Amino acid sequence: MEALAVRLSGLDAHVDGALRVIMFYDTLMRRRVDLPALARASAGLAECVAGVRLHGTGRTIRCAPDGAEAAGPPSPASSSAPVTLDEEEIGTVWLERPGPPVPLDEVLLDRLAIAAAAVAERYGPERTTMADPALVELVISPGTDEAARTRALRLLGFAADLPVQVVAVRSRLPLDRVGGLICPARPVKAAPLGDVGVLLATTVDRAAFPAGVHAGIGAAGGPDRSWEQARTALRFTTTRRPVVHHGELGALALLAQVPRDTARTNADVAAVARVAAVPEDLATLEAYCATGSLRRAADLLHLHHSSVARRLDQIARTLGVELTEPHGLLRATLALTTWRLLGD
């Protein structure tokens, strides 16, 4: 690297200095260095901290002039430049110079940005699961044009010919751990979006979701449509059924479109809300609606069937339906499902 050991302080601010900076980065690119090497070389050249960040990975690289990782919190950038690829901004490069920018900083950052884009295109995104939430949101948003969606998917590491499934997740576990479990050998990216986690995956092993995770899975295909389906499916998850695929809902998915005020004032739904005030009664109703059998409900609840029968008699009076009749069981199941969707 001796041939690269130049410093901006030793260059003039005119044509000769700019040409030497350009030659410096041309040499780095010919050597096919990676992003950390780019940041180290740039920090040495600039004699201050240099940083690189690609949106697709969310990783930030900051190097000090001595080549070591920059210590402490980042200082305000004295100057910065966007990293662009195919007219899409995919990252940022910057300098943290203690004083004002020097005349050749603009040239340095311009060449560093070009070199970083070349590295991103050559090597693709790093093998990390967590991704920039803004890039993931661009993929799943219904307002994104297809060209921008395709570019975003490519930056996240998904080939154009691979279908992508979207999973909506509620979990106390780290999203990258969940993503690695459900799609261990193929591309998967994760990001938080509001109070819901988003997973983009080429395959989903629903049996691999860890305990305590609630997940709604959308169909493969358009990520925006898959995201809408995944959010709907997530609303139907329960403790007994923590993972729901939208395709399994069938006509039940229509319940998610019922206005909240309309659902809340329905007599059957209001009756379920009264039942839910007693946790034991709610658990009994859920078990009976899930099994359609008094004895199987008793097995789920680990109770004697006579105890469950007494509870069901009281619940039936509260609901005003005959739970042993198919019509009554259907009404109770629909009302219970609608009450859950309210999330009150």
Side-chain angles (χ1 to χ4, degrees):
M1 297 290 288
E2 291 78 10
L4 299 178
V6 296
R7 300 287 185 272
L8 288 191
S9 59
L11 302 178
D12 64 53
H14 302 294
V15 175
D16 182 62
L19 287 176
R20 292 180 65 185
V21 171
I22 292 171
M23 292 171 60
F24 176 86
Y25 281 100
D26 284 348
T27 301
L28 289 175
M29 293 172 71
R30 283 196 300 271
R31 294 182 179 182
R32 304 175 73 85
V33 299
D34 57 12
L35 289 178
L38 271 178
R40 287 194 299 270
S42 299
L45 174 62
E47 299 175 275
C48 67
V49 171
V52 180
R53 183 177 188 274
L54 293 185
H55 301 327
T57 65
R59 180 186 177 192
T60 296
I61 302 170
R62 296 174 60 244
C63 289
D66 62 0
E69 181 178 350
S75 302
S78 57
S79 51
S80 63
V83 179
T84 59
L85 184 63
D86 294 340
E87 301 182 358
E88 182 80 15
E89 183 174 330
I90 65 168
T92 307
V93 295
W94 68 92
L95 297 177
E96 299 174 22
R97 191 176 295 285
V102 301
L104 287 174
D105 280 358
E106 183 177 355
V107 178
L108 184 154
L109 286 174
D110 179 66
R111 302 307 296 183
L112 173 56
I114 292 172
V119 171
E121 185 172 36
R122 182 182 306 127
Y123 297 114
E126 297 181 39
R127 293 188 62 81
T128 58
T129 298
M130 296 306 294
D132 184 350
L135 201 60
V136 172
E137 188 170 9
L138 188 66
V139 169
I140 63 178
S141 173
T144 303
D145 67 78
E146 290 308 308
R149 196 188 319 278
T150 299
R151 284 196 297 270
L153 283 169
R154 187 187 70 183
L155 291 173
L156 288 170
F158 294 98
D161 58 344
L162 284 180
V164 175
Q165 283 182 274
V166 185
V167 183
V169 175
R170 293 194 191 279
S171 170
R172 294 184 179 180
L173 296 176
L175 285 176
D176 55 345
R177 179 181 169 189
V178 178
L181 289 172
I182 68 166
C183 188
R186 304 189 70 182
V188 58
K189 291 293 180 180
L193 194 62
D195 61 344
V196 178
V198 184
L199 299 177
L200 303 177
T202 48
T203 60
V204 176
D205 181 0
R206 61 182 302 166
F209 282 98
V213 173
H214 283 212
I217 306 172
D224 53 337
R225 177 61 175 161
S226 187
W227 169 235
E228 179 184 352
Q229 294 174 346
R231 285 185 301 167
T232 297
L234 180 63
R235 295 178 62 192
F236 283 86
T237 60
T238 67
T239 302
R240 297 187 186 279
R241 193 186 180 195
V243 179
V244 174
H245 193 293
H246 185 273
E248 299 169 349
L249 293 173
L252 285 176
L254 296 174
L255 292 177
Q257 300 178 27
V258 177
R260 295 178 64 85
D261 290 342
T262 300
R264 191 176 286 110
T265 57
N266 178 269
D268 285 356
V269 176
V272 168
R274 293 194 295 273
V275 171
V278 181
E280 295 82 2
D281 288 348
L282 177 61
T284 300
L285 179 61
E286 289 179 332
Y288 184 70
C289 288
T291 62
S293 163
L294 188 153
R295 291 189 178 275
R296 281 186 287 168
D299 290 341
L300 280 178
L301 297 168
H302 305 291
L303 295 172
H304 193 275
H305 69 271
S306 61
S307 298
V308 175
R310 285 194 296 272
R311 288 188 187 179
L312 287 175
D313 285 342
Q314 177 59 46
I315 293 170
R317 287 193 291 272
T318 302
L319 295 178
V321 300
E322 181 51 67
L323 291 175
T324 58
E325 296 293 330
H327 179 68
L329 177 59
L330 176 61
R331 280 180 58 181
T333 302
L334 289 175
L336 176 62
T337 303
T338 305
W339 174 80
R340 286 201 201 102
L341 292 175
L342 291 172
D344 295 338

